[in-house]
Amino acid sequence: MKVVIQEDAAGVASYGADLFRDQLWRKPDSVLGLATGSTPFSLYRLLIESNRRGEISFARATSFNLDEYMDLPPEHPQSYRHFMQKHLFAHIDIDPARTHVPPGNALDPIRACTDYERAIGAAGGIDIQLLGIGRNGHIGFNEPTSCLTSRTRVKTLTRETIDDNARFFAEGEPQPHLSITMGIGTIMEARLVVLLATGESKASAIKAMVEGPVSAWCPASALQMHPATVVIIDRAAAGALSDPDFFRHIEAENQALLARLKARSHA
């Protein structure tokens, strides 16, 4: 697990966007695992700008989103399909037929979960998976006590997650308590995982993920066992780590090494 500490949220989004640009440069037909939320929103804006400038293209890419609320139609303003369409898909050159979000309003949600897993496999697996993290350590909608080998499935949301997301729904508007989410086992099969977190409210979850035991009580801690995970956080989210200077030192050494290698290749 590589931990990168940036000064602020803008630095977190910029570093993450660079990883997605690199992925698309190296493999234009990449399979992208995408997420929703305020931090991914900033990253998506940077990718949209790069696409408009002709620096990257999504024309051959395929995407799979992490999760979706149950019982919300795709056009609902709080559905994750609507979020992705509004904040990314409508602004880039991706083929709409190659964008996938779990069907929260499926008539047979159990079968829909199985079909989603099969579609990911048929696409060749996810090359780079974007994640956020909940205050309780969830990734996707894999809440505490989730099985660390779980696959895409229907998941009940915790009261904490429901309360955290209540601000997005109007007063009196029905709020989903169920979701379809990629499982932790599904996420762990991505070739590269990029997790973004900003703000003091995420500091405890980041500490548990990075320093704590691997435990179903902190689902994100499973990423300690992933061979290629990059955790990008700002100073506030790093605030509970035992030794944040250690991670800053390692990143500075890595950047210096990359600079030397780059200079040598151009010599």
Side-chain angles (χ1 to χ4, degrees):
M1 179 183 287
K2 177 180 179 180
V3 178
V4 178
I5 301 174
Q6 297 289 294
E7 287 300 311
D8 53 26
V12 170
S14 179
Y15 196 107
D18 283 345
L19 295 178
F20 273 79
R21 291 189 194 98
D22 289 345
Q23 178 66 42
L24 288 166
W25 285 331
R26 287 185 286 105
K27 186 181 178 186
D29 60 345
S30 290
V31 179
L32 312 175
L34 302 179
T36 59
S38 56
T39 306
F41 169 74
S42 299
L43 181 150
Y44 293 153
R45 286 177 58 186
L46 295 174
L47 294 182
I48 290 167
E49 292 169 7
S50 290
N51 183 234
R52 287 174 175 170
R53 290 193 297 264
E55 297 168 353
I56 56 172
S57 174
F58 295 84
R60 295 170 57 193
T62 301
S63 72
F64 288 89
N65 261 70
L66 272 171
D67 45 23
E68 178 61 283
Y69 287 119
M70 285 278 289
D71 300 324
L72 289 189
E75 63 275 9
H76 190 285
Q78 299 309 326
S79 78
Y80 288 169
R81 164 60 79 173
H82 183 270
F83 177 99
M84 294 304 301
Q85 190 65 30
K86 179 179 180 180
H87 296 300
L88 182 64
F89 298 151
H91 309 287
I92 59 175
D93 60 342
I94 197 166
D95 180 353
R98 299 174 75 128
T99 65
H100 303 85
V101 179
N105 62 340
L107 294 177
D108 186 343
I110 304 302
R111 179 172 180 177
C113 294
T114 300
D115 290 345
Y116 204 69
E117 284 280 333
R118 288 175 178 165
I120 293 172
I126 292 172
D127 291 302
I128 179 170
Q129 176 65 60
L130 182 63
L131 296 176
I133 184 171
R135 291 189 300 122
N136 61 7
H138 75 240
I139 49 177
F141 273 135
N142 295 286
E143 301 281 24
T145 73
S146 290
C147 174
L148 300 185
T149 60
S150 55
R151 313 303 300 188
T152 300
R153 68 207 188 287
V154 175
K155 196 75 177 77
T156 302
L157 306 182
T158 64
R159 171 51 58 186
E160 183 176 19
T161 298
I162 293 168
D163 290 345
D164 284 347
N165 292 344
R167 67 188 188 277
F168 300 117
F169 293 83
E171 185 175 354
E173 181 181 12
Q175 184 181 349
H177 289 200
L178 296 172
S179 68
I180 291 180
T181 184
M182 284 188 198
I184 298 172
T186 313
I187 293 168
M188 292 289 286
E189 290 179 355
R191 296 174 183 92
L192 173 64
V193 172
V194 178
L195 186 146
L196 312 181
T198 60
E200 185 179 356
S201 66
K202 301 297 178 71
S204 294
I206 290 297
K207 181 178 177 64
M209 175 183 70
V210 175
E211 299 179 359
V214 175
S215 167
W217 283 105
C218 178
S221 67
L223 296 172
Q224 293 180 28
M225 300 184 293
H226 190 274
T229 289
V230 183
V231 177
I232 313 167
I233 54 181
D234 66 1
R235 276 181 169 271
L241 292 175
S242 299
D243 189 3
D245 286 340
F246 168 78
F247 296 110
R248 294 188 183 97
H249 168 72
I250 295 298
E251 177 61 12
E253 289 291 316
N254 287 340
Q255 292 301 320
L257 174 60
L258 289 174
R260 291 196 297 273
L261 292 174
K262 185 176 181 179
R264 188 178 303 169
S265 68
H266 291 296

